[in-house]
Amino acid sequence: MAIPFAYNLRSVVQRPVSTATTAVGIGLTVAIYIGALALAAGFRASLISTGAPDNILVLRKGADSEISSACRSTSRTS
């Protein structure tokens, strides 16, 4: 058995603070999600436009990023 639409509408009108809080919460969640996607797209665009195809990044075995990878050169010429 479904709840009648009039009951839902009456509930929204009788509880304005709860309705407004819910609307603001959903709006903020959507805004933060859109901002995160925009930030990721901006990072991706800047990395694609500034990178050179002949550059490489060498990581040591087991490293998650270049910060935790400390590869040492064994044959240095001074």
Side-chain angles (χ1 to χ4, degrees):
M1 184 168 123
I3 297 175
F5 184 71
Y7 175 80
N8 292 331
L9 187 60
R10 187 175 58 228
S11 177
V12 167
V13 173
Q14 288 179 350
R15 296 176 178 88
V17 175
S18 296
T19 303
T21 304
T22 301
V24 168
I26 292 171
L28 287 174
T29 301
V30 170
I32 290 171
Y33 184 66
I34 289 172
L37 290 178
L39 187 63
F43 282 147
R44 187 175 296 116
S46 68
L47 291 174
I48 289 173
S49 65
T50 59
D54 57 348
N55 286 345
I56 63 168
L57 181 65
V58 179
L59 299 177
R60 69 182 172 105
K61 186 177 181 180
D64 294 334
S65 68
E66 64 271 12
I67 294 174
S68 64
S69 178
C71 296
R72 306 263 189 253
S73 175
T74 56
S75 59
R76 282 195 163 174
T77 56
S78 298

